[in-house]
Amino acid sequence: MTDSSAAPAMSAANTASMTTLTGASDANPRHPRHFPALDGLRGIAILMVLVHQLGMLDDRSTILNYLFGYAIGTGWAGVQLFFVLSGFLITGILLDTQKSTNYFSGFYARRTLRIFPLYYGALALAFIVLPAFGIVSSGVEKDWNQQIWLWTYLVNWVEPVGIGSHTFPHFWSLAVEEQFYLLWPLLLALPIYRASVAACIRLCVMVAVISLAARFIFAWNGDGRDEIYLLTICRIDALVIGAAFAALMRMPELPNVWRRIVAKPTQSLIAGFSVAIVGVLVTHGFSFENFLGETIGFTLLALAFGLVIMAAACADLRSIDGVFQLLRLAPLRSLGKYSYAMYVFHKPLHDLLGRPLLVKLRVDMAHSLLAELLYIAGSVVVLHALALLSYHLFEKHFLNLKRFFIAKPASHPPRTVSREM
C-alpha cells in the first residue's frame, strides 16, 4: 500500500455561515457564524493521521500494545474524516454564495490564498532553495525528474504506477482535494443545481455511486489496491457525501426524519457511531485486506463521519453542550486550527529528523509502547509549534488578502442553516 498518512488541506479556522476545510470564511459575511466543534473534529483527524504515520510499534504482546497497534493501523481513517469535512464545508460555502456576483473569482481566489502559499512554499524550499545551497536530500534526488506531478497536483494519479514522491508522499490527498476544489464549483454553477438543493443532493448520490462502482471494479480485478486508495475517482465519494449533508441542512423543507435528527444532534451522533460499528463488523475493522473493506468500507466510514459532522455543526448552531463540549476544548481546537501546516510538515520532519534521531539514540520503537507514545507526543508538540510559526509569520500575510475577495451581496439571500431546525 502506498503511504497512507495523507490528509487534505486543513484550516486555520472555520468562520461565517460555512467555512472551508483549509481556511476562514468564504460565505456571505452578513451571516457570521463559527463552528468550534468542527475545529475539534479537525484536531481529532490530524491526531489520527499522525498516530498512523509516526507509529512504529510492532509488538502486540500486551492488551495496551494491541490497542495502540490497532490505532496505528486504522489512523488512515483521519484522511477520510478530512475529506468528508472538506466536502461538507466547501459545499456549504458554494451553496451559500451561488447567487453572488463573484461566485467563481471569490471562491478560487480565497482557496488559492489559503492553500497555495504553504504548499508551493514547501516544494520551492525542497526543489529550489535548498538545492541552490547544495542541500539535496535523498528523497529530493529521487523525485527530481518526477517533481512535475507535485507542482501540478496530479501526484495521486501517478503514484499507483510507481511515480510517486519520496519527499512528499502524503501530498496525494492534497491533490485529491485540489481537484475537487477545481471541479465542484463548476458543477454547482449549472442551472439545475443553482435552482434546487434537492438536485444537488441527487448529484452527490450519483457521484458517490460512481466512486463506489470504480472501487468495485478495481477490487474485482484484484490488483488495484493502490488505485482504490489514491485515485480521485475512488475517493471522491467521501467528499460528495460530506457535500450531501451540507446540502441537506439547507433544504427549505427538510424531510421529517431529518428534521428530527437536525433538531436533536445527539441522535445524529448516535446514528454516526452506529454506522461506524456496522462498518467495523462488515469489513473486519475497515481492513484493506478484504473485498468489502476495499469497497463499501470507505462509503460506510464516510457516512458515519458525515453524521458526526452534521451533529457537531447542529450542536454549535443550537448551543448544545454535553458530549459536544469535548470537541470545543481549546487544545483540540488549536490542533485543528493549525492542522494544515502540521500535515504539510509531518512527513519531512519525521523522515529527515525524527527517524535519524531515533537511530542515533538507539531507541527501540518497534517494541516499546512508552517510547512510541513519547515520540508521538513530542512530535505533535514540535509540529504544532512549527505550524503556529508558519501561520503567523508566513501564511497569515496571504490570508489577510482574502478580504478583497469576500462574496458580494447576491440578489437573493444565501441559503443558511437555520437555528430553528
Side-chain angles (χ1 to χ4, degrees):
M1 175 68 68
T2 307
D3 177 86
S4 58
S5 67
M10 293 163 274
S11 80
N14 55 63
T15 54
S17 68
M18 282 289 170
T19 58
T20 65
L21 180 58
T22 53
S25 67
D26 287 36
N28 196 309
R30 295 178 302 168
H31 299 267
R33 285 178 183 152
H34 188 78
F35 293 84
L38 296 189
D39 280 335
L41 280 175
R42 194 178 292 108
I44 290 175
I46 189 61
L47 287 176
M48 293 172 68
V49 169
L50 293 178
V51 167
H52 176 70
Q53 178 58 26
L54 305 180
M56 293 175 275
L57 186 69
D58 290 331
D59 183 4
R60 302 291 193 272
S61 59
T62 68
I63 299 254
L64 288 177
N65 283 24
Y66 177 82
L67 291 175
F68 192 77
Y70 182 78
I72 292 173
T74 57
W76 68 269
V79 177
Q80 193 78 337
L81 176 53
F82 278 122
F83 281 164
V84 182
L85 264 169
S86 184
F88 180 84
L89 295 169
I90 287 294
T91 303
I93 291 167
L94 294 173
L95 291 177
D96 290 345
T97 60
Q98 270 183 326
K99 307 292 185 180
S100 63
T101 57
N102 62 337
Y103 170 78
F104 287 114
S105 61
F107 177 80
Y108 287 128
R110 292 169 71 84
R111 289 296 83 220
T112 296
L113 290 170
R114 180 63 189 111
I115 301 170
F116 282 13
L118 186 58
Y119 180 88
Y120 283 114
L123 294 184
L125 181 66
F127 292 105
I128 299 176
V129 178
L130 292 181
F133 290 93
I135 304 173
V136 181
S137 68
S138 59
V140 168
E141 189 174 358
K142 294 175 183 177
D143 288 349
W144 196 264
N145 293 328
Q146 287 82 37
Q147 60 179 289
I148 184 62
W149 306 113
L150 287 167
W151 292 95
T152 56
Y153 277 100
L154 293 173
V155 69
N156 69 306
W157 289 97
V158 297
E159 280 200 29
V161 294
I163 314 180
S165 173
H166 295 82
T167 313
F168 303 104
H170 55 310
F171 277 15
W172 72 268
S173 70
L174 300 183
V176 171
E177 288 221 354
E178 190 60 30
Q179 292 158 30
F180 175 75
Y181 294 158
L182 179 64
L183 297 176
W184 196 238
L186 300 176
L187 287 175
L188 294 189
L190 295 175
I192 184 175
Y193 305 121
R194 289 171 65 90
S196 170
V197 177
C200 175
I201 294 175
R202 289 194 293 270
L203 173 65
C204 294
V205 173
M206 180 180 67
V207 175
V209 170
I210 292 173
S211 182
L212 178 58
R215 290 201 299 273
F216 266 103
I217 292 172
F218 281 116
W220 187 265
N221 289 334
D223 58 353
R225 184 162 294 169
D226 286 345
E227 288 82 354
I228 288 172
Y229 194 84
L230 298 166
L231 297 185
T232 305
I233 186 61
C234 293
R235 300 303 299 272
I236 198 170
D237 59 335
L239 290 149
V240 297
I241 285 172
F245 280 107
L248 179 68
M249 292 177 67
R250 287 162 174 79
M251 288 187 70
E253 294 295 334
L254 279 173
N256 288 335
V257 62
W258 285 110
R259 183 177 296 278
R260 288 195 295 269
I261 290 177
V262 172
K264 297 181 179 180
T266 304
Q267 293 186 2
S268 179
L269 186 66
I270 293 173
F273 278 105
S274 298
V275 172
I277 291 172
V278 171
V280 168
L281 296 176
V282 170
T283 66
H284 301 288
F286 293 108
S287 172
F288 294 128
E289 303 301 322
N290 61 77
F291 183 82
L292 292 178
E294 289 181 323
T295 53
I296 65 172
F298 286 94
T299 303
L300 291 173
L301 193 57
L303 287 171
F305 284 145
L307 287 163
V308 172
I309 289 167
M310 187 171 71
C314 292
D316 279 345
L317 286 169
R318 299 175 62 81
S319 300
I320 295 175
D321 293 331
V323 67
F324 299 102
Q325 194 64 19
L326 296 175
L327 295 175
R328 303 181 190 122
L329 292 174
L332 201 56
R333 290 176 56 195
S334 184
L335 288 175
K337 179 177 181 177
Y338 299 111
S339 55
Y340 178 35
M342 290 179 68
Y343 170 70
V344 169
F345 298 151
H346 85 273
K347 183 62 175 170
L349 188 71
H350 177 57
D351 288 343
L352 298 179
L353 296 177
R355 284 183 180 274
L357 179 62
L358 292 173
V359 172
K360 185 176 182 179
L361 296 176
R362 297 182 180 180
V363 178
D364 185 8
M365 297 290 289
H367 298 90
S368 174
L369 177 59
L370 178 60
E372 184 88 316
L373 292 173
L374 290 174
Y375 177 70
I376 292 177
S379 297
V380 169
V381 171
V382 172
L383 285 167
H384 184 267
L386 289 176
L388 189 149
L389 290 174
S390 171
Y391 180 81
H392 289 283
L393 298 180
F394 179 66
E395 299 166 66
K396 194 173 182 179
H397 299 293
F398 296 94
L399 295 176
N400 287 336
L401 300 176
K402 294 173 74 173
R403 68 184 184 275
F404 297 112
F405 302 99
I406 294 174
K408 296 179 181 178
S411 57
H412 301 287
R415 301 182 184 93
T416 55
V417 182
S418 172
R419 290 181 181 269
E420 301 304 320
M421 287 182 177

